[in-house]
Amino acid sequence: MRKHARWAHSSVSAILGGATVSGGREVRPKSKDTKTKDRSERSLNVPNGALGIDDSLASRWGLRGKKGKSMQDNPLMSAFARLRNDIRGCTDIRTFDVPSLLHPFLQVIRSSSTSAPITSLALVAITKFFAYNLIGRKSPRLSLGMQLLSAAITHCRFEASDTAADETVLLRILKLMEDMLRGPGGDLLGDESVCEMMETGLSMCCQMRLSELLRRSAEMSMITMCQVVFERLKSLEAEVGENIEALDPESNGATHSLKMEPSIDGTNVVSLQNNKTQEQQSSASLEDSDRGQGENAERPPIDGESTRSLASASAIDLSQHSETNAEKDNAITPYSLPSIRELFRVLVDLLQPHNRQHADAMRVMALRIIDVALEVAGPSIARHPSLATLARNDLCRHLFQLVRSEHIGLLNESLRVAGTLLASCRGVLKLQQELFLSYLVACLHPRVEIPLEPGIDPALYEGVPQAPKLVKPSASQTSSGRSTPVPVKDRQKLGLEGGSRKPDAREAMVECLGALSRIPSFLVELYVNYDCEVDRSDLCEDLIGLLSRNAFPDSATWSTTNVPPLCLDSLLGYIQFIADRLHDKPRFEGYPDRQQLQSQRARKKVIVRGATKFNENPKAGIAFLASQGIIENPDDAHSVTSFLRGTTRISKGVLGDWLSKKSHGHLLQAFLDFFDFDGKRVDEALRELLNSFRLPGESQLIERIVTNFSEKYCASSTPEGVADQDAVFVLTYAIIMLNTDQHNPNMKGQKRMTYDEFAKNLRGVNGGKDFAPEYLHEIYDSIKTNEIILPDEHNNKQSFDYAWEELLLKARRTGPLVICDTNIFDADMFSATWKPTIATLSYVFMSASDDAVFSRVVAGFDQCAQIAAKYNLTDALDHILFCLSSITTLASPDTSSTALNTEVQVGKKSVMVSELAVRFGRDFKAQLASVVLFGVISGKESKIKSGWKLVVRIWLNLFVNSLIPSTFSKAHEILDIPEIPLQTPAQVIDRAENTNESGLFQSLTSYLSSYAADDPPEPSEEELESTLCTVDCINACAMSAVFSGVLQMPAHSLQNLVSALLEQLPEKTSPVVITVKPERPAANSARTNGYRTTSQGPVYDPAIVFVLELATVLAMRDAESTATVGQAVADALYTVVRDAANVHPLLLSRAVYYLLLLLNASQDHSFIRAPVILHTISSFHQSVLDNAAITIIKGLALCIQERSPLRNEMINTPDFWSLLQSLKGHSEVAPNVFELISRAVTSQPSSVTADNYEATVSLLDSFATAGSVGAVIEQKKDRNARRSKPTKASKPRSEHLCHSRSECRLLISMFFRESEFIDRGFKAVTMIYQLADRVPSLIEQSHLERNEAWITYWSPIFQALRAQCLNPCREIRHQAFTCLQRSLLFPDLASPDHQEWTAIFGEVLFPLISRLLKPEIYQSDPVGMGETRVQAATLLCKIFLHHLVLLSEWDGMLDVWLKVLDIMDRLMDSGQGDILVSISKVFISLTMSLRMI
């Protein structure tokens, strides 16, 4: 100040503080009328009023001094002098009294005679006090100092000079206010101080004459200060604990008269809550407001002689605060809820859409500040009743109208604040949130069908809604002139419908929804609070449908290119939140019961459907609702009208027409019973009634309604001023006519009915008298200013006000919104929303080209699958598989042709190049989808149902094209069977042969050679590379892991997979495989780089084998699986086996094997019978049996491997032995057949029974007979033995060696082949003999006559042994004689009546020797047959002598003896040499034995 020109003559005494002081301070009396004068100047808006301590201050301040006056008399300078004098003895400035320290600076700030630079210096000095911590929390009387400082800066005055200097002062003030609130003494400020500071800041923001920079700075400062102020709520809550109501001054009896009135150019811009005149006079829409008022207003020049006043609150006498108010310091209460509420109210009032004094720039500023307040203290605002009321009513009311604005800046801020408000306070904004979100959905949801894209199956995006569910029937129209429906275009402007918005506006709305959807529990809360409540909209479903539809790329055509990715991100975030909660522990406490919500949702669906039916046909709708239990009794008028009155989904026009019908008089009366008209004027009662339904157009119907209304109105008592019911009837009609007259858009203003005309029409109708003029005047004014019409048909501000009041009324009856921080509702929510979600993922997957999008969508698919599996939503999981399999292109039911499949061999590797492999290798999306598909399946196999059909198709298509091996299912290990052979490739290319050829010549040569041979061209390098890509992709799918999971599935889940497998088989009514490739002959042999041809016939289809084998593996997994799916698999296998004539042998052989395996596994079940299967197999043609012999015998062996009922049943079945008889001649299976029969005979206990005894003997006899080939080896040995003797003319040594080696090889091969037959024959004879041990028990069990039993059981053994005694093979023949002798010596052979002797000698021994004497028998083994004759003679004699005692008692002994003599004579006659001698010795021995006896 000393540098300023006005202070050039200041004296030294003034500088040194030479003024007269008393106790260090100057005491000056305070003017009694100072406060009154301040308020009068504020009310008159006097900008240059010199408000201060003394009226003479302005005359002395800033002057060069008057004649005879010293500058030391200047009060401002003397104040500084006193301060300097006071602080001389102060050792620590931090302990100095704060009011005394600030006093001189505050005088400068408040003085209207100081210039801007001087005021700025004072502000800078105080700012430094706080910055340098000279004033701290522990400073004396800090609270009072803060109040004084607040009062000074909010009443700062200075002389205007240049604009820059003036605005610098204002910026200093803003900075100081920020420091004060954020500083150590900010929480010591009182409510009045805070309000004045906020008022000052808002005034700067709203004064359009200030520069843009200053207003923006003021806005930033306001944001910072509001952040501090609203953060105060948290500390206040901590102080009072749970008793939040204690902060409300009204609750504890305290009253506050705080009132903020920020001004613009001296005019208050905030209308008080109790001032309704301005609202009524300003009904213009938001679009009519002056948008350019803020930025484009011309700033008038500042008068150099004028002073500037920022605020006009009461002035404070700073000179008196030092001592006189010291005792009041302790009475200052820190600011709390009153000032916060007032600040919040002022900010909300600045948003009034219909106040023309509020420019859009002001609204944007207020929205930004409110947004910060909500971000800082949103939950606290919701907890305080007074603040919550402001948020619920005024804030939401203004916001939801501002979001209709076409001003993009205002729209963006409105949406941001609305989003923040719902994010932080939605617990108390249930119906408000529904209104806001419903509007956004109506605006954003397109009514455009999804365009068809080439290559994308429309089935992939089925489920995306074309319109939201919240769309209600349009308002009823009429032609009677009694209502005035508003055109849709006007209603959109009013915000009653969504309408079409500009692209930028759509993007802003989508961003708002996206921000809300990023709240983890937001969509769950929508589902619980709205979708599951009968009277609320399906907001969750509609919002997911909106995001899904707008995530499609075509939505960019009516919005912006940012909208699809924003919607997709929100949709994926929704999935992510559910997936994150999958493994959380469910929390049920404090949340609605899930089953109750499910029942409510089911009821809601019924009501919606019934309301739709009612709007189309009321009678049908009532019947439907009654059938569903919604209406308890359709014949009870009260029950019917109670539902119609309580639901909002009924068309009010249809309801009015239906109630006014003559036959529905009782329903109309019951409907009127729900109203209470007591204490209401006729027009008020009529308005209430007609808000529930629409008045019909026909006069008769109107008369019926008016009549019933009149009765109801006068039912309890006749209202005052109305004579009777007839008077009400006439008055009601007059009101309806007045309503039509006043609001008919086709009538001109001068022709409308006046009050006098209205009153004239009603003369003498009130019981012969007139109605009171005041009464009629009130009715007339009410109808004129507010039309009686449905709220959704209004077209003015009053309509919105009425609708809003109705919403608030409903909100008071509606409970709070349930915040759902739990996962117990996720299953139901995802069940209701998975269709559009998965459809969107599929469409985006098919149409996307960015790797980041692919990554997100793939993660989305996986998370959806996890959710569906976790909550057993099988339909969702199956649809995911459908979408992914469709994208893979591998699930086509029409398998690609394999006629041109070419096997390419490069070194040790082999690759099958096929049409499918090449096409798939070129499609990156298909490959990615395949990896995702099998990744989704892995671990979720038991949850899949219909999706298995597609998976099986993929497996089959890959298998037939050699892209997956049959070993992936490990069936060959489980079933102990070789891998499934695939079809022979059409061509085999060995690239190793052509490595030396390259370039164009190689390609041309390959093409010409292929063309000449009618061969397909060799695969190109690109095709081979595509095939290799396919192979790598299939390997990455890890299908073996999937099958491992299949084997762990519960038995009931296997049924779906098995059904899917069996559906791939041909129909039962047609042959399994009858097609023959006509395009080219097949071949049996394969040549490198050429064709393999096969003989024509049923084509081998490896896919069918694959299906049957996999189904068998699954059915045999365990007993439970067999019981569940065994019958279906058995039926399929039996169908193939039964059609053997039309089935490829390879398929048939494996089908029989699978069937026998399943038969063995299903012994405890009756759906498959061994006799039926054995009969079917045994009826095969011999050639068919030979082709399937190996697998048949292997299956039979498994069935009878262990003792079981199945083994007994099979062994006792004739077809079993018939089948073995047919198979015994097959060289490869003969050992297996013999093994089976050996097991049956030698097992303990034996499996040979009366039913299979004869078949067993017969089969053993066949094996023994087959051993006759051993005679060839024996005879060859005999010849070689004779040749090995030395002769005179021997061949040269070399020739002899060569002959010996070749013969040696032949003998060795013959030996190993024939020795098996000899061994089996030898064992067969032995087993025939062993059966003799079973004969006595079999005879005893059979209960047959002795003769019949002997013929049945003994005779087959003797016949078989007799036949083998003639076997050309000596080893078998000798064993047969031994076994025959033992059998004939069996103790229980003959009975006491000797009836068996005839058969023993006549059917066994005598025929045997007779056959031995035949030349052809002798020639079968010339060397050894003679010895056999001796054995036969010896056997005959032994048997005769052994049973001689018994024979002696038999009458036929003489005949036997004579026959023996005859046989012996013939034997001796046929013998020569040693043979004759041996026979003679036998005969002599017999004779001597008889003599001795």
Side-chain angles (χ1 to χ4, degrees):
M1 287 191 295
R2 286 184 285 107
K3 294 181 180 180
H4 197 269
R6 298 185 179 184
W7 304 96
H9 301 284
S10 58
S11 63
V12 175
S13 61
I15 296 175
L16 297 178
T20 303
V21 295
S22 176
R25 292 182 178 84
E26 180 181 12
V27 180
R28 295 180 182 273
K30 177 182 177 183
S31 176
K32 296 182 179 180
D33 59 345
T34 300
K35 187 172 182 180
T36 306
K37 183 177 180 181
D38 285 344
R39 292 194 178 274
S40 64
E41 289 180 345
R42 178 186 61 195
S43 61
L44 295 175
N45 193 27
V46 179
N48 299 328
L51 306 178
I53 305 172
D54 189 84
D55 293 339
S56 63
L57 181 62
S59 64
R60 298 198 303 268
W61 178 242
L63 299 179
R64 296 181 180 271
K66 295 182 180 180
K67 186 176 181 180
K69 296 286 186 179
S70 173
M71 289 300 297
Q72 63 183 357
D73 296 330
N74 188 291
L76 299 181
M77 293 301 298
S78 61
F80 280 102
R82 286 194 302 270
L83 176 61
R84 173 176 293 182
N85 185 54
D86 291 341
I87 63 177
R88 283 175 182 171
C90 180
T91 57
D92 187 359
I93 192 64
R94 296 178 180 83
T95 62
F96 194 78
D97 183 63
V98 173
S100 299
L101 179 64
L102 295 178
H103 174 69
F105 299 96
L106 301 184
Q107 280 190 314
V108 172
I109 294 173
R110 295 199 53 161
S111 175
S112 61
S113 300
T114 55
S115 62
I118 299 302
T119 305
S120 180
L121 287 175
L123 293 170
V124 169
I126 296 176
T127 303
K128 289 183 177 180
F129 288 163
F130 289 100
Y132 299 159
N133 200 23
L134 299 181
I135 297 178
R137 184 71 180 180
K138 298 180 178 180
S139 298
R141 297 204 299 170
L142 176 62
S143 176
L144 177 60
M146 296 296 291
Q147 313 302 322
L148 297 175
L149 179 58
S150 171
I153 62 176
T154 55
H155 297 78
C156 177
R157 289 171 173 81
F158 57 91
E159 290 184 355
S161 55
D162 61 286
T163 304
D166 295 344
E167 294 192 350
T168 300
V169 174
L170 301 182
L171 289 173
R172 298 289 188 189
I173 292 174
L174 291 172
K175 179 66 170 61
L176 183 54
M177 288 193 299
E178 283 188 54
D179 293 343
M180 290 176 62
L181 281 172
R182 292 189 301 179
D187 57 346
L188 301 178
L189 291 168
D191 287 315
E192 184 175 356
S193 298
V194 171
C195 286
E196 289 179 347
M197 294 170 68
M198 296 297 103
E199 182 179 348
T200 301
L202 283 175
S203 297
M204 292 187 195
C205 294
C206 296
Q207 289 187 17
M208 297 303 171
R209 292 182 301 177
L210 300 178
S211 67
E212 179 72 14
L213 176 61
L214 179 57
R215 285 189 282 114
R216 295 298 182 192
S217 300
E219 180 181 332
M220 295 173 62
S221 296
M222 280 299 300
I223 290 175
T224 302
M225 289 188 290
C226 286
Q227 179 180 349
V228 175
V229 170
F230 281 94
E231 279 182 346
R232 173 78 172 156
L233 281 174
K234 299 178 181 178
S235 60
L236 292 175
E237 291 176 355
E239 293 174 3
V240 300
E242 297 182 357
N243 189 19
I244 296 179
E245 295 182 355
L247 296 175
D248 194 341
E250 298 179 358
S251 64
N252 53 29
T255 59
H256 286 265
S257 59
L258 295 176
K259 189 176 298 182
M260 292 174 55
E261 299 180 24
S263 62
I264 171 173
D265 300 331
T267 304
N268 294 341
V269 296
V270 179
S271 59
L272 303 180
Q273 289 182 339
N274 57 357
N275 186 4
K276 301 299 182 181
T277 306
Q278 186 177 359
E279 286 192 16
Q280 295 175 358
Q281 294 176 350
S282 176
S283 60
S285 65
L286 181 64
E287 286 74 21
D288 296 333
S289 64
D290 184 6
R291 297 185 179 89
Q293 183 177 353
E295 290 76 10
N296 301 327
E298 183 178 356
R299 184 179 183 272
I302 301 177
D303 187 0
E305 298 299 327
S306 63
T307 59
R308 192 176 302 260
S309 175
L310 295 178
S312 53
S314 59
I316 301 177
D317 188 355
L318 299 179
S319 63
Q320 301 300 317
H321 274 295
S322 299
E323 293 180 357
T324 59
N325 292 345
E327 296 180 358
K328 297 182 180 179
D329 187 13
N330 297 330
I332 299 176
T333 303
Y335 74 95
S336 60
L337 186 61
S339 58
I340 298 174
R341 181 182 56 189
E342 179 64 14
L343 173 60
F344 193 48
R345 180 195 67 80
V346 171
L347 292 173
V348 171
D349 283 347
L350 285 174
L351 303 181
Q352 288 185 15
H354 303 290
N355 191 336
R356 294 196 176 192
Q357 291 182 347
H358 297 182
D360 285 346
M362 293 171 54
R363 296 189 181 97
V364 170
M365 176 271 299
L367 287 169
R368 290 171 180 167
I369 298 175
I370 292 174
D371 187 53
V372 172
L374 293 173
E375 290 175 347
V376 170
S380 299
I381 291 174
R383 286 191 290 268
H384 289 81
S386 57
L387 297 178
T389 301
L390 282 172
R392 277 195 301 262
N393 189 357
D394 294 343
L395 180 56
C396 288
R397 182 176 189 171
H398 299 334
L399 275 179
F400 296 166
Q401 294 179 78
L402 291 177
V403 294
R404 274 82 172 176
S405 173
E406 295 297 332
H407 189 287
I408 190 63
L410 185 58
L411 174 64
N412 282 329
E413 294 300 331
S414 301
L415 290 171
R416 182 176 294 110
V417 173
T420 307
L421 177 64
L422 296 180
S424 56
C425 306
R426 62 186 181 278
V428 296
L429 303 174
K430 184 173 183 178
L431 297 188
Q432 290 85 343
Q433 178 173 258
E434 180 184 18
L435 176 64
F436 176 70
L437 294 179
S438 298
Y439 171 74
L440 294 189
V441 171
C443 288
L444 295 175
H445 204 299
R447 308 298 198 276
V448 182
E449 293 185 359
I450 301 174
L452 298 177
E453 294 286 344
I456 301 181
D457 186 0
L460 290 179
Y461 46 83
E462 287 182 357
V464 178
Q466 297 298 320
K469 289 186 176 182
L470 57 84
V471 175
K472 298 180 179 179
S474 59
S476 306
Q477 304 294 323
T478 184
S479 58
S480 66
R482 292 183 174 86
S483 63
T484 55
V486 184
V488 174
K489 182 177 180 181
D490 296 336
R491 294 171 65 194
Q492 291 170 357
K493 290 182 179 180
L494 292 168
L496 300 178
E497 287 186 1
S500 59
R501 301 301 298 265
K502 294 180 180 179
D504 291 343
R506 288 179 177 273
E507 180 179 344
M509 292 178 178
V510 169
E511 288 178 348
C512 179
L513 290 177
L516 289 173
S517 65
R518 284 191 285 273
I519 302 174
S521 63
F522 180 72
L523 285 164
V524 187
E525 293 163 7
L526 294 186
Y527 178 80
V528 173
N529 292 279
Y530 302 102
D531 292 45
C532 294
E533 290 195 12
V534 175
D535 294 331
R536 306 273 69 85
S537 304
D538 291 332
L539 281 182
C540 181
E541 284 192 57
D542 286 336
L543 192 55
I544 294 300
L546 165 68
L547 295 175
S548 300
R549 180 62 186 90
N550 283 276
F552 282 63
D554 69 306
S555 64
T557 58
W558 56 78
S559 55
T560 65
T561 55
N562 293 329
V563 168
L566 286 173
C567 292
L568 179 62
D569 180 72
S570 299
L571 198 63
L572 292 171
Y574 160 68
I575 301 171
Q576 178 70 48
F577 289 138
I578 300 178
D580 292 342
R581 294 191 295 262
L582 277 180
H583 305 292
D584 292 349
K585 184 178 180 180
R587 290 185 292 175
F588 301 94
E589 185 177 357
Y591 296 106
D593 182 66
R594 181 184 173 189
Q595 293 183 350
Q596 182 180 357
L597 290 183
Q598 290 173 345
S599 62
Q600 288 180 196
R601 182 165 172 78
R603 177 182 175 85
K604 179 179 181 179
K605 291 181 179 179
V606 174
I607 291 177
V608 171
R609 186 179 176 187
T612 304
K613 288 181 177 291
F614 181 89
N615 294 336
E616 297 172 355
N617 184 347
K619 185 177 180 180
I622 295 297
F624 173 79
L625 292 168
S627 65
Q628 298 296 321
I630 304 300
I631 296 178
E632 296 180 0
N633 184 6
D635 298 327
D636 180 19
H638 183 273
S639 177
V640 174
T641 55
S642 175
F643 168 78
L644 297 177
R645 170 69 173 158
T647 183
T648 60
R649 303 181 183 276
I650 298 297
S651 170
K652 298 184 183 299
V654 175
L655 178 59
D657 293 338
W658 186 70
L659 288 174
S660 58
K661 289 184 178 181
K662 185 176 181 180
S663 59
H664 295 161
H666 63 294
L667 294 171
L668 179 58
Q669 293 177 0
F671 189 83
L672 288 169
D673 289 339
F674 290 99
F675 294 88
D676 182 12
F677 298 143
D678 291 342
K680 298 178 181 178
R681 290 198 314 266
V682 175
D683 62 311
E684 295 173 345
L686 182 62
R687 188 185 300 276
E688 181 181 355
L689 176 64
L690 296 185
N691 279 331
S692 60
F693 63 84
R694 201 175 195 285
L695 201 63
E698 298 182 15
S699 59
Q700 292 181 351
L701 302 180
I702 295 175
E703 180 182 359
R704 191 170 294 118
I705 291 176
V706 172
T707 301
N708 284 271
F709 168 74
S710 303
E711 294 177 357
K712 173 64 178 176
Y713 188 78
C714 300
S716 58
S717 62
T718 303
E720 184 179 355
V722 180
D724 52 22
Q725 178 179 331
D726 293 337
V728 175
F729 179 86
V730 176
L731 180 58
T732 303
Y733 247 115
I735 292 174
I736 294 174
M737 294 175 63
L738 176 64
N739 186 70
T740 303
D741 175 85
Q742 293 296 316
H743 301 284
N744 191 336
N746 298 324
M747 293 182 63
K748 295 183 179 180
Q750 62 271 19
K751 294 183 179 181
R752 299 189 188 278
M753 186 185 302
T754 63
Y755 166 74
D756 294 334
E757 294 172 339
F758 173 66
K760 183 179 179 181
N761 293 335
L762 293 172
R763 288 178 181 174
V765 300
N766 189 20
K769 299 179 182 179
D770 294 341
F771 289 101
E774 298 81 2
Y775 188 79
L776 292 181
H777 216 295
E778 291 176 355
I779 293 176
Y780 180 85
D781 291 341
S782 175
I783 299 300
K784 183 177 180 179
T785 57
N786 190 7
E787 181 184 8
I788 298 178
I789 198 172
L790 293 178
D792 57 353
E793 294 180 352
H794 277 285
N795 64 340
N796 53 23
K797 178 178 177 294
Q798 292 176 348
S799 66
F800 185 86
D801 293 341
Y802 179 82
W804 188 258
E805 293 299 329
E806 288 291 321
L807 183 143
L808 293 179
L809 183 61
K810 292 179 181 178
R812 283 192 282 271
R813 298 193 301 263
T814 304
L817 185 136
V818 180
I819 304 299
C820 301
D821 187 16
T822 180
N823 61 356
I824 61 176
F825 308 112
D826 287 352
D828 297 331
M829 179 179 65
F830 189 75
S831 176
T833 58
W834 65 262
K835 288 184 179 180
T837 302
I838 296 173
T840 302
L841 294 180
S842 303
Y843 191 94
V844 173
F845 189 96
M846 289 293 292
S847 59
S849 57
D850 186 73
D851 290 344
V853 176
F854 279 126
S855 176
R856 294 290 306 278
V857 172
V858 166
F861 270 123
D862 183 64
Q863 290 167 349
C864 285
Q866 292 180 20
I867 297 168
K870 173 71 174 180
Y871 297 124
N872 294 318
L873 302 176
T874 56
D875 292 342
L877 186 58
D878 289 337
H879 192 72
I880 293 173
L881 299 186
F882 164 75
C883 294
L884 290 174
S885 59
S886 299
I887 299 173
T888 64
T889 69
L890 296 175
S892 174
D894 301 325
T895 57
S896 58
S897 174
T898 59
L900 300 180
N901 285 11
T902 301
E903 182 180 350
V904 178
Q905 297 178 347
V906 181
K908 297 181 179 180
K909 296 183 179 180
S910 177
V911 177
M912 185 71 72
V913 181
S914 62
E915 176 186 348
L916 182 141
V918 173
R919 183 180 69 248
F920 183 77
R922 293 171 177 170
D923 192 342
F924 169 75
K925 292 182 180 178
Q927 298 175 43
L928 181 59
S930 299
V931 177
V932 176
L933 172 65
F934 287 98
V936 165
I937 296 174
S938 181
K940 309 173 188 66
E941 295 84 1
S942 61
K943 308 295 183 179
I944 302 173
K945 288 187 177 180
S946 60
W948 282 121
K949 298 178 183 178
L950 303 166
V951 177
V952 169
R953 288 180 192 169
I954 294 176
W955 282 344
L956 293 180
N957 287 329
L958 294 176
F959 177 73
V960 298
N961 287 279
S962 304
L963 293 174
I964 58 171
S966 60
T967 57
F968 95 95
S969 65
K970 301 180 181 179
H972 65 289
E973 300 177 2
I974 299 173
L975 302 180
D976 189 21
I977 192 173
E979 299 178 14
I980 301 174
L982 296 174
Q983 286 179 325
T984 304
Q987 193 177 14
V988 179
I989 306 297
D990 191 351
R991 289 294 175 92
E993 295 182 358
N994 302 325
T995 53
N996 295 329
E997 301 179 10
S998 61
L1000 179 64
F1001 179 75
Q1002 175 188 358
S1003 302
L1004 181 61
T1005 303
S1006 174
Y1007 176 78
L1008 293 177
S1009 61
S1010 299
Y1011 180 80
D1014 195 22
D1015 292 347
E1018 293 186 13
S1020 64
E1021 290 296 332
E1022 188 273 336
E1023 292 174 337
L1024 181 59
E1025 183 65 25
S1026 298
T1027 303
L1028 293 175
C1029 289
T1030 299
V1031 173
D1032 293 340
C1033 176
I1034 299 304
N1035 292 336
C1037 291
M1039 296 188 189
S1040 298
V1042 173
F1043 190 77
S1044 298
V1046 168
L1047 294 179
Q1048 303 299 323
M1049 289 167 56
H1052 63 86
S1053 300
L1054 284 178
Q1055 192 168 3
N1056 300 307
L1057 175 55
V1058 172
S1059 299
L1061 286 167
L1062 300 182
E1063 285 182 9
Q1064 305 304 316
L1065 297 176
E1067 295 293 335
K1068 296 181 180 180
T1069 56
S1070 61
V1072 178
V1073 179
I1074 60 173
T1075 57
V1076 179
K1077 294 183 180 180
E1079 59 270 13
R1080 62 177 71 253
N1084 286 328
S1085 60
R1087 58 185 178 85
T1088 304
N1089 297 341
Y1091 272 112
R1092 300 173 187 243
T1093 60
T1094 57
S1095 59
Q1096 293 189 359
V1099 174
Y1100 170 63
D1101 187 356
I1104 298 179
V1105 182
F1106 178 87
V1107 167
L1108 296 176
E1109 182 172 291
L1110 187 53
T1112 304
V1113 170
L1114 297 177
M1116 293 177 54
R1117 192 190 62 174
D1118 50 42
E1120 189 177 0
S1121 302
T1122 304
T1124 304
V1125 301
Q1127 183 171 2
V1129 177
D1131 292 343
L1133 291 170
Y1134 185 70
T1135 301
V1136 176
V1137 172
R1138 187 175 55 187
D1139 196 23
N1142 298 314
V1143 177
H1144 191 279
L1146 183 55
L1147 170 59
L1148 179 65
S1149 65
R1150 298 183 78 101
V1152 170
Y1153 180 67
Y1154 302 150
L1155 186 60
L1156 291 173
L1157 289 178
L1158 187 57
L1159 173 65
N1160 183 45
S1162 59
Q1163 297 184 28
D1164 298 333
H1165 306 281
S1166 59
F1167 56 77
I1168 180 171
R1169 298 300 302 274
V1172 177
I1173 295 176
L1174 294 175
H1175 178 74
T1176 303
I1177 299 175
S1178 63
S1179 62
F1180 288 170
H1181 190 272
Q1182 187 60 45
S1183 61
V1184 176
L1185 280 175
D1186 290 342
N1187 290 327
I1190 297 177
T1191 55
I1192 291 175
I1193 197 62
K1194 189 174 182 179
L1196 293 175
L1198 289 174
C1199 290
I1200 66 172
Q1201 186 174 8
E1202 298 178 357
R1203 295 194 59 83
S1204 63
L1206 175 63
R1207 174 181 176 178
N1208 297 333
E1209 185 180 19
M1210 292 185 67
I1211 290 179
N1212 293 323
T1213 301
D1215 289 318
F1216 175 79
W1217 300 99
S1218 173
L1219 186 57
L1220 294 182
Q1221 284 284 3
S1222 301
L1223 296 175
K1224 73 178 188 304
H1226 195 286
S1227 59
E1228 295 185 24
V1229 302
N1232 303 92
V1233 175
F1234 187 77
E1235 177 66 23
L1236 288 181
I1237 190 64
S1238 300
R1239 193 180 303 165
V1241 174
T1242 59
S1243 62
Q1244 293 297 330
S1246 177
S1247 299
V1248 178
T1249 63
D1251 296 328
N1252 59 29
Y1253 176 78
E1254 187 175 354
T1256 304
V1257 174
S1258 176
L1259 185 59
L1260 290 172
D1261 182 56
S1262 299
F1263 274 106
T1265 302
S1268 61
V1269 297
V1272 177
I1273 298 177
E1274 294 173 344
Q1275 294 174 13
K1276 188 69 175 178
K1277 289 180 180 179
D1278 293 341
R1279 289 194 296 270
N1280 291 337
R1282 290 193 299 269
R1283 291 176 182 173
S1284 62
K1285 295 179 180 180
T1287 58
K1288 295 181 179 180
S1290 60
K1291 295 182 179 181
R1293 178 178 176 82
S1294 60
E1295 183 179 354
H1296 177 71
L1297 290 175
C1298 180
H1299 180 72
S1300 299
R1301 287 173 182 171
S1302 61
E1303 278 195 346
C1304 182
R1305 294 193 190 97
L1306 178 61
L1307 287 174
I1308 291 174
S1309 62
M1310 290 178 62
F1311 174 78
F1312 284 108
R1313 182 170 60 87
E1314 305 300 342
S1315 62
E1316 295 179 359
F1317 288 90
I1318 298 173
D1319 184 59
R1320 286 197 294 270
F1322 184 88
K1323 293 180 179 179
V1325 172
T1326 304
M1327 284 187 285
I1328 292 174
Y1329 165 72
Q1330 292 174 350
L1331 290 176
D1333 294 333
R1334 291 279 300 155
V1335 170
S1337 61
L1338 292 175
I1339 292 175
E1340 183 179 355
Q1341 295 172 4
S1342 64
H1343 302 290
L1344 296 175
E1345 295 294 336
R1346 184 68 183 179
N1347 185 36
E1348 294 179 3
W1350 199 93
I1351 295 173
T1352 301
Y1353 297 109
W1354 283 114
S1355 181
I1357 293 178
F1358 292 140
Q1359 296 296 333
L1361 292 176
R1362 187 195 69 182
Q1364 298 311 314
C1365 288
L1366 305 175
N1367 196 305
C1369 180
R1370 296 169 200 164
E1371 187 175 353
I1372 297 174
R1373 191 167 63 242
H1374 292 163
Q1375 179 66 12
F1377 268 100
T1378 303
C1379 293
L1380 180 60
Q1381 177 179 336
R1382 293 176 180 176
S1383 300
L1384 292 175
L1385 297 177
F1386 201 79
D1388 298 332
L1389 179 61
S1391 61
D1393 55 5
H1394 314 297
Q1395 296 179 359
E1396 294 82 3
W1397 294 115
T1398 303
I1400 293 174
F1401 287 97
E1403 298 179 10
V1404 180
L1405 296 176
F1406 294 156
L1408 171 61
I1409 298 175
S1410 298
R1411 290 280 295 168
L1412 286 171
L1413 293 175
K1414 292 185 177 294
E1416 61 271 19
I1417 299 299
Y1418 181 80
Q1419 291 299 324
S1420 63
D1421 184 15
V1423 177
M1425 197 57 71
E1427 183 180 355
T1428 302
R1429 290 177 177 178
V1430 174
Q1431 287 180 323
T1434 305
L1435 176 62
L1436 177 62
C1437 295
K1438 284 184 178 181
I1439 297 302
F1440 184 81
L1441 291 175
H1442 182 75
H1443 297 287
L1444 182 59
V1445 177
L1446 296 176
L1447 289 173
S1448 61
E1449 300 176 0
W1450 181 41
D1451 296 338
M1453 176 185 176
L1454 181 60
D1455 296 332
V1456 173
W1457 170 245
L1458 293 176
K1459 188 64 176 177
V1460 169
L1461 292 177
D1462 180 63
I1463 291 298
M1464 295 299 295
D1465 182 59
R1466 292 173 60 190
L1467 285 172
M1468 288 187 291
D1469 290 342
S1470 64
Q1472 297 179 359
D1474 296 337
I1475 301 302
L1476 178 59
V1477 174
S1478 298
I1479 295 175
S1480 299
K1481 290 181 179 180
V1482 171
F1483 182 72
I1484 294 171
S1485 175
L1486 175 62
T1487 305
M1488 293 178 64
S1489 297
L1490 289 174
R1491 289 176 180 176
M1492 291 175 63
I1493 295 174

